[in-house]
Amino acid sequence: MQSSAAQKSQEKAAKLINDLQDISFLKIAMIVLGAWIIIALIRKILPYLAERGPNQLRLYLLGAVPVIRLFLLVGAIMWIIPLVFNITFQNFLVIAGAASVAIGFAFKDYVSSIIAGVVAIFEKPYRPGDWVQIGEDYGEVKSVGMRSLQILTPSDDMITVPHDTLWSNNISNSNDGAKTLMCITHFYLEPDHDVEAVRAALYDVALTSAYLEYSKPVLVMVSQETWGTHYKLKAYPFDMRDQFSFISDLTARGKLALRKLGVKEVVALMPGTLRE
Amino acid sequence: MALKIDDKPIQCIPLSDYKSPSLPTPRALQYFMEKTLARIRSIRNQDKEKIATDKLHAPRKDWLDTIAKPPAYTPILKVLDTTLKDWAQEQSPLGSKRLVVLPPCEAGNVLEVWAKNHGFETLPSPSRSDVFAGNTPELDIAKGPPLILSRLEDWYVRTPAGLKSIRALLRHIHQSERKILIGANPFAWEFLKKSVDAHYVLPDPVTPPPLQGEDLRNWFHDLSSQHVSRPFDFKLQKSGKDIFDLSQDKNKDYFNALAAKSLGIPWVAWYMWRDSLLTSDEVRDQEAEADDTRDSSPDSVDKSTKDGQSEHPSDHVLWVSALEEFSLPGTKSDMSLLVLQALLIHGSLSENELIQLLPEVGPLTVLPLLTRAGIVTHSDNFFRCKAEAYPAIYRGLKASGFPVGNL
C-alpha cells in the first residue's frame, strides 16, 4: 500500500502538465481577460488624467503605466503557471531546457527586447513623457510597451523603437523625468559687432519670453567660428511641450533685437554659387 | 493669522508665509462629492432651496453699493496703517525701504489711497508708451521726504526695451537716501525677481494676511448695517436662515467656503459676495415704486443687533445664493492662459499692447471668449482680469505649470 502511494506520488511529480480535467480553463480565461481589461483601462485612463490634470502630476501618471502593466502581467503569469504546470524541480528543468532552445533559435530578438524593456523600467533611460533622442529620431515617449516604445516626433510621426536598442545605442534623454528641458536657440552673426551688447540683448529676449521657466537659469554662450560668431541662447520653458513655440519665440524676438542693434546675420552660400 | 476688522490691529506677514484659507478636509470632501454628483446626474437642488432661483434676480447696483459699499480694500488700509506705522514715523532710519505685495485684480490703487490719507508724496509712473519705447525716465529721488511707489507694474513691460525703465528705477531706489514704500502684485514681483533681480535691491516683501471666514462675516455684516435707510434681511437661499446668525453652522460653512474660494483676498470675496446676493421680483418692484415717490433720508437706521439678528424683520430680503464657480473656457491652445498671465503681470493692457507682448501672431481671438465667460473685463480700452474670476485663473495657471507664487 505504502509503496503504491509513493509510486503514485512519484508518477504525479514526474508529470509536467496537469491532467486536462484538472486544469480550470475557465479560471485561466478569466485571469487573462481580467488582466487584459485592467491593463487596457490603465493605458487609457492614466494618460487621459495626465493630459487633463495638474501639470505637476503628468509625468508621474504617465510613468506609472508600464510599471503597473509589468506587475499585472507578472501577477497573471504567476497565477496561471501553477494551474497548468505541475511545478516540481524536475519539471522546471525540463521547461527551462525547452525554453532555452526556443529562445535561442526563434525568439532571441523578441525576448531580448522584453528583457531590455524590464531593465528599462528600473534603469529609466526613458519614461512616458520624456523627450529622447534615439539614433536620428527625437520625440516624446508616448508609451512604453513590453517589446518596444513609441516616440511621437515633432513632425507628428509615431516611431516604434524596440527596447533592445538599449543594449547597443546611446539614448539621449532631454528632461529625464523633469517637467522642463533646456532649449537652445542658435544665432549666426557676422564677426564685426559688440559681443557684450549682443549677449545682453539675447539675455533680455529670453527673460521676457512668455514661456520662460523662472526657476531655471538663462545662459548666452558665444564662440568664434571661421565664418563668424555663433551664439547659443540656452533657456528652459515651464512646459516642455512648448519647447518649439519657445524656440520660435526666442528666434523671432532675438532676430528683432539683433536688427535693432544693427548686427548682421551670416548668410550661408550654396555650394557652387558665384559671388562677385 | 486671522484679520479682525474691529479688534486689535493686525500687521502684514511675509509673502512666503501667505497661505490661502482652506476648507476643513471633511467639508472639502463633502463639497467635492456634492459637486461631482451634481455634474454626473445634473441634479438641481431647487426642490431643497427655500426659494427657487428662477424667482430671483440680481439687485440694483445702487442697492448693492449701499449694502456692500465700495471700495473693497478697506480692511487692507487698516492693516497697512498698523504695518507701516513705525516706518512712517520720523524715528525710523533714513533710506529704509519697504515692499508690500498686494493681491492682484484690485481695481483701485490701495497704496496710493493710503499715501494720500497720510499725506505722503507719490512717484508718478511713466506713460506706457514711454515704457514700451524704452525711454528711461528722468528721476530725482535721491533725497527728500518719504516716497510711495504704488505700483511697480507701471514701470515695465515684458519686452527687452521695456525693462529699461524698471532697471533705471531700481538703480535710483538703491542709491536713494529716502524712505521709500513700494507696492507690486505677486505676478509682477515674480517676473521682476527673474528679469531684473529686483530681490537683490528691494527688501523681502510683506503682504496682508488672508481673510478667514469669520473676518468676512464681520466685515460684510458691518457693511450691510452702515448708512442703510431701510433694513435688509440677508437669508441663505438654501435654508432661509439669517446669514449673519452665528448659531447656524451652515452660515459658518458659507463664510468659510467664501474665504477659501476667494483665497483670502478681500476684493475677490467682496465681488463674490455681491454677485451672490439676489432679490425677488416682488421686492424689486416695490422698491422701484417707493423710490419714485420717497425723499432720500440722510439718517442711517441701523436695525441690527450685535449678533446680526434683526430687531425688525422686514420685507426687504436679500437671498444669498450659492457661490458662483468660474471655470476657464476650454481652448485648444494655451493662448487664453498666456493672455491671462500677461494681464496679471501688467495689471491691465490694451489689445494692441497684448499683441506686442504675446508670442503668437495675428489677432487675439480668445479675448471675446474670455470677456463673454466673465473672466476678463474690458473698459476704457483696457483689459483686466476680473477679481471674482481670479481664483479660477490662478488655479488654471498653476495647473498648467505657469510660474505663480503662493498668492
Side-chain angles (χ1 to χ4, degrees), chain B residues 227-238:
Chain B
H227 308 294
V228 176
S229 58
R230 189 179 298 109
F232 288 98
D233 281 340
F234 291 80
K235 294 189 178 179
L236 202 52
Q237 185 185 357
K238 212 164 179 179

Side-chain angles (χ1 to χ4, degrees), chain B residues 4 23 25 65 81 101 128 173 186 203 212 215 231 248 252 263 265 284 330 368 399:
Chain B
K4 305 286 187 209
L23 288 172
T25 306
D65 287 346
D81 282 340
V101 168
R128 199 45 89 61
I173 289 174
Q212 306 296 331
D215 303 323
Q248 297 285 332
K252 284 183 195 166
L263 306 181
I265 301 172
R284 195 174 64 167

Side-chain angles (χ1 to χ4, degrees), chain A residues 175-197:
Chain A
N175 63 300
D176 195 27
K179 68 180 181 77
T180 185
L181 45 73
M182 178 186 278
C183 293
I184 304 177
T185 310
H186 299 269
F187 297 92
Y188 308 97
L189 307 183
E190 290 190 358
D192 186 17
H193 60 266
D194 182 346
V195 171
E196 288 312 313

